[in-house]
Amino acid sequence: MSNETSAAGSVVVIGDALIDEIRDDAGVRELVGGAALNVAVGLRRLGVDTTLIAMVGDDEAGAHIREYLGDHGVRLISSEAPHGSSRAVVQRASNGEPQYVFNEAAQKRSIRYSDEARQAISDAALVAISCFPFDVPAEVDALVDALGDARVAVDPNPRTGMLSDREEFVRGFERLATSASVVKVGADDAAILYDGDLDALRGRLRGLGAAAVLATAGAEGATIDADAGVVSAPIAQLPGAVIDTVGAGDATLAAVSEGLVSASPSDLAQWRVLLLRAMDIAAATCRAEGGLLRTPESLADSGRGVNGS
């Protein structure tokens, strides 16, 4: 894997795609989602030619996922899904945070790489990886082999309902992080995988060799730590109430990934511009339910397929 910029302008996203079954006081409803899917759709909405490599079943849920991706112009290269499409039942905890219960397909998700997938990876300017089964060594081996010398962005995005071996997950994640162009980690990642100290985790990942680390801390904003230095930004203040924070992290990763492809920041001023734009996009995304990326300019968007999660 390499930190060098490719001449190609496309991005490949590898990870999860699923149906979120939301249960709350308003009733039960289904939204197309998954962290990797959100990143892929977000990148496409930012004008990037995007391919998603994910496990999607040949079932009704899979048809909804395919239709949603098609509506947003994201190319799907699907991996075999012997247990059908992934699904998460989502309920709100007492503190308002979502709680997820995953079906067997999600817990046993697996990705293998066809010739078509390998060619897409080879052609891409960046490969973004999110919510990947890093705790399965065979999955990590297959991913590393498929990536070759691709330029990589990594978000561990562990889900406790899919996590079978925390120590193995950390090993698999760090195997990718050591040579990544950017690694995104959040306060939840630090709590689930490490000792909860996000600043210490940022330092650890930089020490392992990550070219840049994007650390997101919810209401406390975000920090980018790169060779050019360290820059922080608060959460962006936009008109309207915060409706749903579930897609904020995915929107942030999509925005930073788009910046790596279009601008390839090298000095601290460029990283600051990229981070501030990412914070604006994350804040806009939180102004509507679901994980569909919004920008401050597109908050009024409406129509078919805009409520993915």
Side-chain angles (χ1 to χ4, degrees):
M1 289 172 285
S2 169
N3 291 324
E4 297 302 317
T5 305
S6 168
S10 64
V11 175
V12 168
V13 184
I14 301 173
D16 63 331
L18 50 76
I19 297 294
D20 280 328
E21 181 182 316
I22 311 251
R23 300 181 181 182
D24 57 20
D25 293 341
V28 179
R29 57 202 178 281
E30 295 186 353
L31 304 177
V32 175
L37 181 144
N38 287 340
V39 173
V41 172
L43 278 160
R44 190 69 194 98
R45 286 173 63 80
L46 293 173
V48 179
D49 184 12
T50 307
T51 296
L52 174 66
I53 299 174
M55 190 186 75
V56 179
D58 293 322
D59 48 22
E60 183 178 359
H64 289 311
I65 292 169
R66 288 182 172 88
E67 180 183 23
Y68 181 81
L69 291 170
D71 286 344
H72 287 285
V74 175
R75 173 192 180 197
L76 172 67
I77 300 176
S78 60
S79 192
E80 184 179 356
H83 301 286
S85 296
S86 299
R87 174 178 291 268
V89 176
V90 186
Q91 294 180 304
R92 297 289 176 183
S94 58
N95 63 359
E97 291 298 315
Q99 293 182 328
Y100 299 86
V101 176
F102 296 94
N103 69 354
E104 182 182 28
Q107 293 176 16
K108 295 182 178 179
R109 67 200 190 285
S110 177
I111 299 175
R112 288 297 180 265
Y113 305 91
S114 63
D115 290 344
E116 181 186 14
R118 289 173 180 272
Q119 187 62 55
I121 290 169
S122 177
D123 291 342
L126 183 75
V127 178
I129 302 155
S130 183
C131 204
F132 186 85
F134 286 112
D135 51 352
V136 182
E139 295 291 331
V140 179
D141 288 344
L143 173 61
V144 170
D145 180 67
L147 288 173
D149 62 354
R151 190 180 186 215
V152 171
V154 184
D155 182 353
N157 219 333
R159 308 288 199 212
T160 55
M162 292 192 287
L163 186 64
S164 61
D165 187 328
R166 185 183 67 84
E167 292 184 358
E168 190 61 55
F169 191 102
V170 169
R171 278 193 291 271
F173 159 58
E174 291 187 350
R175 185 175 170 189
L176 271 293
T178 55
S179 57
S181 291
V182 65
V183 179
K184 177 195 167 293
V185 287
D188 288 347
D189 303 327
I192 293 171
L193 298 177
Y194 295 89
D195 61 2
D197 188 331
L198 184 58
D199 287 337
L201 176 55
R202 172 165 58 88
R204 174 183 176 84
L205 294 170
R206 285 283 287 144
L208 288 172
V213 177
L214 166 65
T216 59
E220 297 180 12
T223 297
I224 287 179
D225 185 339
D227 290 344
V230 179
V231 59
S232 297
I235 58 171
Q237 301 299 318
L238 297 179
V242 172
I243 303 300
D244 189 353
T245 61
V246 70
D250 301 332
T252 305
L253 179 60
V256 170
S257 295
E258 187 277 333
L260 289 178
V261 170
S262 65
S264 193
S266 58
D267 62 39
L268 203 57
Q270 291 171 333
W271 279 113
R272 185 184 303 278
V273 169
L274 190 158
L275 181 59
L276 289 172
R277 178 60 174 167
M279 291 293 95
D280 284 346
I281 289 171
T285 300
C286 292
R287 263 62 184 178
E289 183 181 38
L292 181 71
L293 181 145
R294 273 92 170 171
T295 65
E297 301 82 15
S298 68
L299 282 176
D301 278 358
S302 61
R304 183 182 182 189
V306 301
N307 289 319
S309 69

